[in-house]
Amino acid sequence: MTMGAMNAQMLAELRPLKGRAFDVRFAQRMMDHHQMAVDMARAALKSGRDSRIKAAAREVIAAQEKELAQMGAWVKAWTGQPYRPAPAAMNVPRSGVDRWFLTDMIPHHQGAVEMARLVPARTQNAAVRKLAADIIRSQSAEINQYRAWLKSVK
């Protein structure tokens, strides 16, 4: 499934929901999304060459693992059941990993920002609202940085 198709599927699933049903599914889908970003970042750390990209990958891992733990605790509290995101199948190239990371993370982050933008109209939960605002802020900044780096990364 392409990144665009995955993002569209997640948005379509979330749009009709409100209240606690939205909160639970938003957290679960965002956990899936974050796990994919962590997996991509680990691949960039393993095979990338550019020190800026490796530093960005470490930042993605740190921030998104923290948010994964937070959302996981919410889902368990709300449903009584733990939620574990499934590992994503990725086609990591043998060369050009730095460029791959940037070009795939841009639409990936855009998908997270679009999901987070659904939050204000669908929940009254202050913690979910804060997380969504943080995702919009941080991942929009990362998108801008990644676009700038694409001009010089091979």
Side-chain angles (χ1 to χ4, degrees), residues 92-142:
V92 180
R94 290 190 173 169
S95 63
V97 172
D98 296 319
R99 189 161 191 80
W100 163 82
F101 177 76
L102 296 174
T103 58
D104 278 20
M105 283 302 288
I106 290 169
H108 188 271
H109 274 5
Q110 286 171 330
V113 168
E114 290 171 15
M115 285 196 303
R117 285 187 176 140
L118 295 175
V119 168
R122 289 170 174 77
T123 186
Q124 296 301 312
N125 186 306
V128 174
R129 286 173 175 254
K130 181 183 181 321
L131 175 66
D134 291 346
I135 288 169
I136 292 167
R137 180 188 42 73
S138 65
Q139 293 192 23
S140 293
E142 288 172 3

Side-chain angles (χ1 to χ4, degrees), residues 2-15:
T2 67
M3 196 70 65
M6 179 192 74
N7 290 337
Q9 180 182 11
M10 289 182 174
L11 286 168
E13 188 176 334
L14 291 170
R15 278 192 184 105

Side-chain angles (χ1 to χ4, degrees), residues 38-57:
V38 168
D39 293 345
M40 291 168 65
R42 286 189 178 129
L45 276 177
K46 179 181 177 186
S47 302
R49 297 180 182 267
D50 190 302
S51 62
R52 298 170 301 172
I53 308 306
K54 287 187 173 217

